[in-house]
Amino acid sequence: MKITLSKHLLHLLFFCLIALVGVSTTSCNSKKKLAEKQAAEARAAKISQAKADLQALLANTNKSPEELERDLARIKAMNLNDPEVNALIKQVEEKIGQKKAEAAKIAEEKRKAEEAARLKAEEEARQKPAKLTLDDYFARIISAPSAAEANNYINDALKLFSSPETPVLISLGVFGGEKDYDKPTTISKYLNYLKDQKRNINTIDNIVRDASGKIKELELMRKK
Amino acid sequence: MIKKQLFIFISLFLSLTFSLLAQPELSPERKIAVDSLALEKVKDLSKYISMIGDKKTPFSEANRAVDRAMELFMEGSQMGVSAVGRKEIKYYGVRKYLERLMALNYQKVKIDWFNIQYISDLQRQPDGKYVGVITIYQKFEGVTKEGMKYVDTTKKDITVYVERKKTQVNGREIGYWDVMLGDIRVSETKRG
């Protein structure tokens, strides 16, 4: 009798254990499903956000390729592996590629333009004669092989003066404390005089300049 | 009436006297500088005449040289022109002479002035001006289209007037010597 009771009690305990395991398993399964559901919802939200962000990147025209790359890397790091997101990522990558190509093209054009400007400046510097002094111009006008060439030098020399009518004084010397001059002339006439006479009997004694650095009065002295 | 005439005479006399006194006396150094200035003007004219006569000188340059040469002369000055075998000496206004020189009917023209020197030193005149005479020798060579060559040498006397003047340059007064050439007279012409 005692043995029978024990047997029954054991069976009951066994059933209770089975029931407990059953209940426990059911509860665990429902928790897992909930977690899975929450994870799926989170992923869906991430995908939605990623799509929105990617669309925004595609529509944006202000960001540089580097900024687009940085934003895209952030989205790619989420590893969403969603076909739509992947397609948008590809589009953004294509856009970045195009932008980079455009930027490279612009940079190349700019480089070429700068190079051309540099070469032009160098060529102009080579072509341009050294900056001539007034004495140089006098000498070149006198020794010019033709009137046309002398006239070119005259025109260049006149650029040093405030006007072709700039007065030119030719001092003969100082006598009794008083300075004597030849009749005053103008720079235009004086330069033509040098061209005609093919000799320079005067030296530069004094140059007066205006505020812009141009010569507004020239004083020469008769060579002794 | 007599008083009035006397007053005018005295006034004119005094004004002439003061005018003479106002002219600066030339020290020997100053005289040399002024003599030299006048000689330079004659040398300048020599170059202009050579340019104007030269058939290789571009027309525009020759015309400009005529204008520049004219600036050296007193108004109304005349230039004497002679030729070998012709006794008569013709006188032309300077511009007319220079224009004729430019249009001479030669294929080639060469004019040189040499032995440029004073034959009469600059002398002070009652009006305060200084007047002198500079003589030059002009060698003229003209070659026709046919290759015929005409050459003569003429001695010419140029009257030179020098006057002290004042002017303003950039607001300050300066004193200068105004040299003006007068008539150029032929004194001798010979072949070659």
Side-chain angles (χ1 to χ4, degrees):
Chain A
M1 180 70 183
K2 222 175 170 180
I3 291 168
T4 308
L5 188 65
S6 296
K7 236 179 177 177
H8 282 296
L9 197 60
L10 194 64
H11 282 153
L12 183 64
L13 195 65
F14 181 72
F15 279 122
C16 283
L17 188 65
I18 296 286
L20 189 65
V21 168
V23 168
S24 172
T25 304
T26 307
S27 169
C28 201
N29 279 342
S30 79
K31 273 187 181 174
K32 192 179 174 185
K33 278 182 183 171
L34 182 65
E36 281 176 355
K37 190 185 171 191
Q38 282 176 341
E41 282 174 0
R43 177 179 152 80
K46 279 184 181 176
I47 288 171
S48 176
Q49 184 59 49
K51 282 183 194 172
D53 290 348
L54 288 164
Q55 296 283 9
L57 291 180
L58 284 171
N60 188 291
T61 54
N62 298 325
K63 289 191 173 181
S64 67
E66 291 72 27
E67 287 171 325
L68 290 172
E69 273 184 329
R70 192 192 59 214
D71 291 348
L72 183 63
R74 184 179 52 77
I75 295 167
K76 283 167 87 174
M78 290 193 278
N79 289 320
L80 295 171
N81 202 21
D82 177 77
E84 279 187 55
V85 170
N86 287 346
L88 286 169
I89 285 172
K90 197 178 175 189
Q91 284 180 43
V92 174
E93 283 174 341
E94 283 172 4
K95 180 180 176 175
I96 290 170
Q98 282 173 5
K99 277 213 159 198
K100 277 188 171 177
E102 280 170 19
K105 193 180 170 187
I106 290 168
E108 179 64 10
E109 281 171 0
K110 190 181 170 191
R111 191 193 62 76
K112 279 184 180 173
E114 284 172 355
E115 179 68 7
R118 187 183 63 79
L119 289 173
K120 191 181 170 193
E122 281 179 6
E123 185 58 25
E124 280 175 357
R126 267 197 297 275
Q127 300 271 335
K128 197 176 169 183
K131 200 174 179 183
L132 299 178
T133 66
L134 198 50
D135 268 329
D136 294 334
Y137 278 117
F138 288 171
R140 290 188 186 209
I141 289 164
I142 288 164
S143 59
S146 68
E149 200 167 320
N151 287 338
N152 286 339
Y153 284 123
I154 288 174
N155 290 333
D156 282 350
L158 283 174
K159 290 173 192 163
L160 302 174
F161 293 83
S162 53
S163 110
E165 301 303 307
T166 297
V168 177
L169 302 177
I170 302 166
S171 159
L172 306 175
V174 180
F175 306 98
E178 192 179 6
K179 211 170 196 180
D180 269 359
Y181 292 94
D182 189 358
K183 189 176 183 176
T185 185
T186 65
I187 188 59
S188 176
K189 282 188 174 179
Y190 186 72
L191 295 174
N192 277 291
Y193 171 82
L194 293 177
K195 175 181 71 177
D196 297 337
Q197 300 296 329
K198 296 206 169 290
R199 65 192 173 119
N200 186 4
I201 54 173
N202 305 306
T203 54
I204 295 171
D205 188 39
N206 189 33
I207 291 174
V208 184
R209 296 179 189 275
D210 63 17
S212 62
K214 301 246 179 179
I215 300 169
K216 68 171 188 178
E217 186 183 314
L218 176 64
E219 185 163 333
L220 307 173
M221 184 177 276
R222 185 64 40 97
K223 286 176 185 168
K224 300 288 179 191
Chain B
M1 183 70 183
I2 294 170
K3 273 186 177 177
K4 193 177 177 185
Q5 283 178 336
L6 189 64
F7 176 75
I8 291 170
F9 175 77
I10 291 169
S11 298
L12 282 171
F13 177 78
L14 285 175
S15 101
L16 186 63
T17 306
F18 283 129
S19 167
L20 277 171
L21 288 173
Q23 293 294 323
E25 286 298 331
L26 296 185
S27 65
E29 296 80 18
R30 199 174 205 175
K31 177 79 169 27
I32 289 169
V34 177
D35 283 349
S36 172
L37 178 64
L39 270 177
E40 289 300 337
K41 300 294 176 187
V42 173
K43 287 177 187 172
D44 291 349
L45 175 64
S46 125
K47 188 70 187 176
Y48 288 131
I49 284 182
S50 181
M51 266 181 78
I52 293 163
D54 190 344
K55 297 294 178 191
K56 285 185 276 184
T57 304
F59 183 71
S60 61
E61 292 290 317
N63 267 324
R64 193 184 48 74
V66 168
D67 290 338
R68 295 306 301 274
M70 287 303 297
E71 289 173 11
L72 295 171
F73 284 91
M74 289 179 77
E75 205 176 322
S77 296
Q78 292 193 316
M79 174 78 91
V81 179
S82 63
V84 175
R86 193 181 72 199
K87 282 187 178 178
E88 184 196 7
I89 295 169
K90 288 187 177 175
Y91 281 88
Y92 298 98
V94 176
R95 182 174 286 279
K96 177 102 176 168
Y97 165 80
L98 297 173
E99 285 169 354
R100 282 172 57 88
L101 184 62
M102 202 161 68
L104 277 179
N105 196 19
Y106 286 100
Q107 182 82 6
K108 192 178 167 191
V109 172
K110 189 167 183 281
I111 301 168
D112 286 319
W113 284 19
F114 56 96
N115 285 355
I116 299 170
Q117 58 192 334
Y118 280 95
I119 52 164
S120 171
D121 212 4
L122 287 174
Q123 297 290 324
R124 194 176 173 197
Q125 304 300 303
D127 63 359
K129 287 180 186 167
Y130 291 82
V131 180
V133 179
I134 291 172
T135 186
I136 63 104
Y137 287 85
Q138 173 180 291
K139 184 172 185 183
F140 176 93
E141 286 181 44
V143 181
T144 63
K145 282 179 190 169
E146 297 77 27
M148 295 285 288
K149 196 172 184 180
Y150 172 83
V151 183
D152 73 18
T153 302
T154 310
K155 185 182 173 197
K156 296 188 174 189
D157 298 330
I158 305 169
T159 311
V160 182
Y161 301 86
V162 183
E163 189 177 2
R164 177 82 178 161
K165 290 184 177 175
K166 287 188 186 296
T167 189
Q168 294 274 332
V169 174
N170 283 339
R172 71 179 198 280
E173 190 179 67
I174 64 150
Y176 69 94
W177 292 100
D178 191 15
V179 178
M180 299 298 277
L181 307 182
D183 293 339
I184 298 183
R185 302 198 163 270
V186 174
S187 62
E188 187 185 324
T189 303
K190 60 181 181 181
R191 189 177 297 278

